Every structure is written in C-alpha cells, then in structure tokens.
Amino acid sequence: MRSKLRVMVLVSLVMLFSFSLCGAQTIKVGFNIPLTGDIPQVGESSKYAAEILKAEINGAGGVKVGDKSYKLEFVYEDNESKAESATAAALKLITQDDVLAIIGPQSSKQAIPAGEVSNANKTPMISPWSTNPQTTKDRPYVFRSCFLDPFQGPVAAKFVTEEFGAKKAAVLYDIASDYPKGLAEYFKEAFEKIHGPGSVVAFETFTTKDRDFSAQLTNIVKSGADVLFTPQYYDEVPLIVKQAQELGWKKPIMGSDSWGSAELMKLCGDACKGYFFSTHYAAAGAKGATKEFIDKYKAKYGYVPDDVAALTWDAMGLLLKAIQETKGLSGKMEKDRDAVKDQLAKIKDFDGITGKMTFATSGDPVKCAVVVKISDKGEFEFFKSACP
C-alpha cells in the first residue's frame, strides 16, 4: 500500500512539475474579436493572421525572451460586435484566462469600452484597427497599430479636394457608432477648413441596423455636392453605393479604412469599382515582407488578406518585440504586464508590413496612410500615400 502511495505521489509531483514547466514556457495572448455579429469577417481576418504567425513562431522553437524560449498560446473570445460583449470578453481574458496581453477589439465601438477594462486591470491591449482617439486617451496600457481619425479625416478631405476638385461635399454616416461618427466629424472639420464654413452641404445620419438610406441620399443628390464621403463598414457600403446610384448619383464616392475588407467586393461588385478609400496598406502591387505575408495568407486561406489581417500581424509584431525587450519574464503576471506595457511605449521605428511605426507620448503610432483605388478587376490598388 505504501509502495502504491509513493508511486501516486511521485506521479503527482511529475505531473505538477510538467505543468509548471509548461506554464513557465508558454506566453498566453488573448484576442477580443468579432467572430459573429455584424462584421464577422473582421474577426476571421484577425484570427487567420494570428494562426499563421503562431504556427511560424512555435514551429521555429518559440519566442526567445532573455535566456528562455516560450511557445505562444492564443485564446480567442468572440465579442459579437457588441460593446457589452467586448468588455465581458476583456474581463474574462484578464481575470480567468490570465493572458499577458490582449489583441483587439478591432472596431472603435468595442475597443473604447474594452480599453477602459484593460487599462483599469493594468493589462496591455493593442487594437489593430480602432482609429477613434478615445480608445487610447489617458490609458497608458492601451495601444494601437493603426493611424487615428484626426489624421485620416484630413487625408480624405485633402484627397477629394486635390483629386476631384471638390468644393462641396456630402457626408453620410451612422450617428450611433463611435468610429463613423468621429471620422465624419473630422472630415467635415478638415473640408470646411479648406473650403470655408458651409462647404459640407449635406451632413446626413442614420442609425445602426438601418438599411434604407433613400431619404438621406435624396437630400445628398439634391445638395449639389461634388463628392460623397461615407466612412461606413464593408457590409453597409454596398447598400449605400447601390441606392445612391439608383437615385442618380454619378459623382465620386470616397470611403475610409472600414471599406478595406475582403468581403467588400463580394457584396458590392461592379458598383464599387472606380471609387477610392483611405486605408492602412494596399495588397495589389505589394513588395517585400508585405508581399510575403499576403502570399502566405492567400496560400492558406484562399483569398487576399485585408487591412485588418495585416494590422493584426503588425500588432502581434509590436507585442512580441515588447516582450523580448523585457529581457526576461518573471512569471508574476502583474509585474510582467507592467514590463510589457513599458516596453511597448518605448518602441521606435518598428518596420511593420503596414508601415513604419513609432510610439511617442501615447499608445498612438506615428505612421502614414495610403489611398487605394478599387480597380476594374475589383482589386485594392495603391494610389498615393499620405504621411504626418
């Protein structure tokens, strides 16, 4: 009986040692992403990019931090494209899953409240795609791998002025969603700074889930605007574009980075060809590390990665660089989260596939934007760049 007890104790000790060793050699990262809801393609893009990176790093022996190597473990939480689900997901990842850091949420409507949770719990969070300033404002633990709307709005306003000769503009946006509301306001401010008060001749709104925009678009068609700016998500753009065209709109339509999903052209087809939007990278004609990423993604999943996938790849790159720069993890979660946060804030000239990034005084990177044109083939072609 004693011999059997000794064996059981020995087995238990071996299992405990193995578990501790495994835990010490694993870096756990959480993903707060929309796998269901209004924009599931966004969550899919993030997860697919993350899975490629994880397989590459783990296959090569893991992440070297100090004198130890760690395998990556990813925990995916579906925020359902809802603010309340994003906060719940953030809290679960932090308090139950004990992740070192969080990637996401992507859209600002979820990233802003989730950022509050992450910052309150002193856990580093990097949003790949949220461009609203409120996501990182006064939150030292919250970062992003994309530019901000106060930069993107003027880029779009300047582009339509120079490229189309637009002197009057119309805007159509969802007033109930943080991202389009903020960007619409930044565009209006920038356009009227160039052309004077009242040059935005129609500033039309709708509410999330609306699918009939005929009243707003009728006003826009009658307004005399030279261009329509609509910073809406890829699932809404086709409805807006097609309804505008049916009502007689034949002038340019300008979009924002929320157009950049691989799903846009499946839903919009010929109706969106020839239009432009500001975004984070252009897949068509990409070179170097960006092309390598695109080729790997397309080979595995069968389609060209959108900007969300590319930004997720860069967000993970930023996080891994920060982890390595700690020179060693203590195994104490609170201490290690602080160390990662401190190293993220020090990153300069990070050479990402969506551009070079530097964090200065906040979690917002200094980086360039690009304007792409939707070609006759339905591809997102690089048209010009715009830098701070």
Side-chain angles (χ1 to χ4, degrees), residues 145 280-281 287 289-290 310 313-315 317-318 349-357 367:
S145 57
H280 307 271
Y281 97 127
K287 300 177 181 177
T290 306
W313 185 271
D314 278 351
L318 289 164
D349 296 324
F350 174 81
D351 200 9
I353 62 172
T354 62
K356 190 166 286 189
M357 285 174 264
K367 66 182 298 191

Side-chain angles (χ1 to χ4, degrees), residues 341-362:
K341 178 264 293 183
D342 290 342
Q343 292 304 321
L344 274 169
K346 295 177 182 178
I347 288 177
K348 297 186 184 304
D349 296 324
F350 174 81
D351 200 9
I353 62 172
T354 62
K356 190 166 286 189
M357 285 174 264
T358 293
F359 291 112
T361 58
S362 68

Side-chain angles (χ1 to χ4, degrees), residues 90-313:
L91 200 58
K92 177 182 181 296
L93 289 167
I94 294 165
T95 62
Q96 296 182 38
D97 297 309
D98 291 321
V99 299
L100 179 61
I102 296 173
I103 302 296
Q106 303 287 8
S107 68
S108 298
K109 193 172 185 178
Q110 289 85 53
I112 292 172
E116 183 177 4
V117 172
S118 294
N119 194 69
N121 287 274
K122 297 183 177 180
T123 302
M125 168 186 141
I126 307 175
S127 175
W129 203 47
S130 171
T131 53
N132 190 294
Q134 296 301 317
T135 297
T136 56
K137 187 178 180 182
D138 298 326
R139 296 172 178 177
Y141 286 84
V142 183
F143 300 80
R144 70 180 98 219
S145 57
C146 56
F147 50 67
L148 275 71
D149 290 334
F151 170 60
Q152 183 177 196
V155 164
K158 185 179 179 182
F159 178 81
V160 299
T161 297
E162 295 178 347
E163 189 64 28
F164 308 135
K167 295 181 180 179
K168 297 179 181 178
V171 182
L172 176 62
Y173 68 99
D174 179 358
I175 198 170
S177 183
D178 293 317
Y179 163 77
K181 180 178 182 295
L183 186 48
E185 290 168 352
Y186 287 119
F187 173 88
K188 182 176 186 289
E189 180 183 358
F191 193 85
E192 292 192 336
K193 188 174 182 180
I194 298 171
H195 300 285
S199 54
V200 174
V201 292
F203 200 61
E204 297 287 330
T205 66
F206 63 91
T207 303
T208 310
K209 301 293 185 182
D210 285 353
R211 289 296 180 262
D212 181 2
F213 312 103
S214 56
Q216 296 94 325
L217 288 168
T218 296
N219 291 337
I220 287 169
V221 170
K222 292 179 179 179
S223 71
D226 302 311
V227 64
L228 168 60
F229 178 64
T230 183
Q232 292 306 128
Y233 292 104
Y234 67 87
D235 61 322
E236 299 161 320
V237 172
L239 296 171
I240 293 170
V241 166
K242 291 175 182 178
Q243 288 179 34
Q245 291 172 352
E246 288 168 1
L247 289 167
W249 181 266
K250 296 180 181 179
K251 299 173 183 178
I253 297 179
M254 179 78 185
S256 59
D257 63 307
S258 54
W259 284 38
S261 170
E263 287 291 294
L264 178 69
M265 296 313 294
K266 292 181 183 178
L267 299 172
C268 198
D270 291 342
C272 280
K273 291 178 181 177
Y275 293 147
F276 296 80
F277 62 93
S278 52
T279 189
H280 307 271
Y281 97 127
K287 300 177 181 177
T290 306
K291 186 178 187 304
E292 289 175 14
F293 165 72
I294 292 168
D295 290 345
K296 286 183 287 192
Y297 191 103
K298 190 174 181 181
K300 186 169 179 63
Y301 300 115
Y303 63 92
V304 175
D306 55 24
D307 57 353
V308 175
L311 288 166
T312 299
W313 185 271

